[in-house]
Amino acid sequence: MSIEQLLPRYSNLDRGGMLKRVLTYFADLEDAAQRYKDTRLEREIPDPLHGVIVTGMGGSFIGALFLQDLLYDSWRTPILALREITLPAFADKRHLLVAVSYSGNTEETIRVLVEARRRGIPVVAVTSGGLMAELAEKLSYQLVRLPSGLAPRAAFPYMVTALAAILDALDPSLRLVDSIKRSSLNLAQCGSDMQRHALELADWMLNNYGANRLPIIYAYRPYLSAGYRFKTQINENAKLHAFFSEIPESNHNEIMGWESPSNLFTVVIRAEEPPHMLHRMEFLLDLWSKRGIPYREVKPLGGSRLEKLLSLFFTLDLTSVLLALKRDVDPTPVETISQLKKYLDSRINIRSSLDL
Ligand code: PA5
């Protein structure tokens, strides 16, 4: 059964329309490319630029990791993907800070932005509104506006394209926004293959969860963002535990855990494997087979690295939404995250605690 045929079945359950939203991924990317293609930096940028610090939490963090993967071995300016409440000591006015918060009200991101101001670091704010938009206006920071009314994680196509546009403005030779547009058009053609893959993967994962197993998602550079995104999308959309682990680092510690019985299954992202990675994968797959650990390999579609990353994001986001719906769970609300934010609001008045 195709996903389009499934839409009416889930219309009552999927009140926030997350399934429909994911299905507009490539259209959203094209729309975002149109929206942000003429972005220019309005303030003076440090020259030489020592690095771009992209700060954000959760759904507003992942775009930074995506661009770090994309440019890992081709762009010489360091990108620091920051998900902290404080800035590291080395961050100074030779850096650019890009603060991303979909709602504009995330305490961690606001505090980092305010600290950047204290250190004289130039700031670009990426948000749909909230306190961050107010601060950007008050402090005369450039504001790149996101469309409102989405769940933060569903705004990924807009956030990643906005970030790409900021990097293009720093270095026009990157041409990231153009590439995003082209890649989305190409990938939209293979939508049904990715949908089929997502349906199969969601069913397989559902069976494993049903057998009381929990997944570890494995990925390696330059696909770490896709693996980590999958873990977080399972958490937020399906309201399930999932763990993420990096190869090769986990081969030096976590791998020992397979010596003991466990209730785990694994999903491993595989693409563009040089021999050193291929042999590591062969070893792991063989180990899991011998230990009776269920595993699935996920491979991207597309030619360029950008297409591969985008195809993985689409397929795995869709898988997480299907996993939710197949469990009778509404993917959109994140009640416990909202409760925590409310609790923190009641304890810390971020507005009045800002020393502006
Ligand atoms: O997807 C989500 O809802 C969360 O992961 C949020 O992105 C996270 O809590 C941070 O909020 P915001 O994106 O509004 O800064």
Side-chain angles (χ1 to χ4, degrees), residues 48-327:
L49 181 65
H50 280 225
V52 183
I53 302 170
V54 187
T55 193
M57 303 301 294
S60 293
F61 163 77
I62 193 70
L65 204 56
F66 182 99
L67 288 169
Q68 210 183 46
D69 269 345
L70 185 65
L71 300 175
Y72 187 70
D73 43 11
S74 61
W75 200 46
R76 292 174 63 89
T77 309
I79 299 176
L80 176 70
L82 191 75
R83 44 186 166 175
E84 306 289 342
I85 201 162
T86 55
L87 268 175
F90 67 77
D92 60 21
K93 48 176 69 144
R94 294 169 303 175
H95 296 84
L96 172 69
L97 184 95
V98 183
V100 189
S101 169
Y102 182 77
S103 63
N105 293 321
T106 296
E107 185 196 352
E108 293 91 330
T109 316
I110 298 282
R111 287 198 189 281
V112 166
L113 183 153
V114 170
E115 174 61 15
R117 174 180 183 255
R118 211 182 52 77
R119 296 191 200 179
I121 303 173
V123 173
V124 178
V126 180
T127 185
S128 70
L131 182 54
M132 188 180 279
E134 284 175 44
L135 287 175
E137 193 180 338
K138 181 167 174 183
L139 304 173
S140 299
Y141 286 149
Q142 181 170 353
L143 174 66
V144 178
R145 184 73 74 165
L146 298 166
S148 54
L150 301 173
R153 59 197 180 282
F156 168 76
Y158 289 96
M159 290 196 268
V160 78
T161 311
L163 289 177
I166 293 166
L167 297 193
D168 277 352
L170 281 172
D171 180 352
S173 72
L174 289 172
R175 300 181 63 82
L176 295 174
V177 174
D178 271 0
S179 309
I180 287 178
K181 187 169 176 192
R182 221 170 327 111
S183 301
S184 317
L185 287 166
N186 290 344
L187 288 171
Q189 321 282 319
C190 339
S192 49
D193 289 342
M194 291 183 273
Q195 289 184 17
R196 209 172 29 251
H197 191 177
L199 274 166
E200 280 166 15
L201 186 59
D203 283 336
W204 180 79
M205 294 192 73
L206 199 63
N207 282 338
N208 279 290
Y209 273 111
N212 277 328
R213 292 178 180 273
L214 291 176
I216 306 182
I217 319 293
Y218 286 94
Y220 46 80
R221 218 34 118 178
Y223 300 100
L224 292 180
S225 58
Y228 181 67
R229 167 73 166 187
F230 191 33
K231 169 238 175 334
T232 60
Q233 289 288 76
I234 295 170
N235 297 149
E236 292 189 54
N237 289 331
K239 288 60 159 157
L240 286 166
H241 276 303
F243 303 95
F244 169 68
S245 196
E246 296 184 17
I247 299 171
E249 173 56 18
S250 56
N251 289 352
H252 297 272
N253 32 63
E254 189 196 272
I255 198 171
M256 292 308 300
W258 299 116
E259 292 197 4
S260 302
S262 69
N263 265 358
L264 293 167
F265 67 104
T266 69
V267 177
V268 55
I269 293 178
R270 303 194 62 185
E272 258 173 31
E273 256 157 31
H276 61 254
M277 196 49 80
L278 182 69
H279 300 317
R280 285 169 169 78
M281 298 313 303
E282 287 164 356
F283 184 91
L284 278 177
L285 266 42
D286 184 54
L287 182 71
W288 292 331
S289 299
K290 285 181 184 143
R291 308 253 163 207
I293 303 296
Y295 67 85
R296 265 290 162 105
E297 298 164 80
V298 176
K299 296 189 175 163
L301 294 181
S304 64
R305 180 178 302 172
L306 176 61
E307 286 181 2
K308 289 185 172 128
L309 277 166
L310 288 174
S311 80
L312 287 168
F313 266 60
F314 171 73
T315 307
L316 298 174
D317 275 15
L318 182 56
T319 304
S320 70
V321 174
L322 292 169
L323 195 55
L325 295 171
K326 284 168 181 276
R327 298 182 62 239

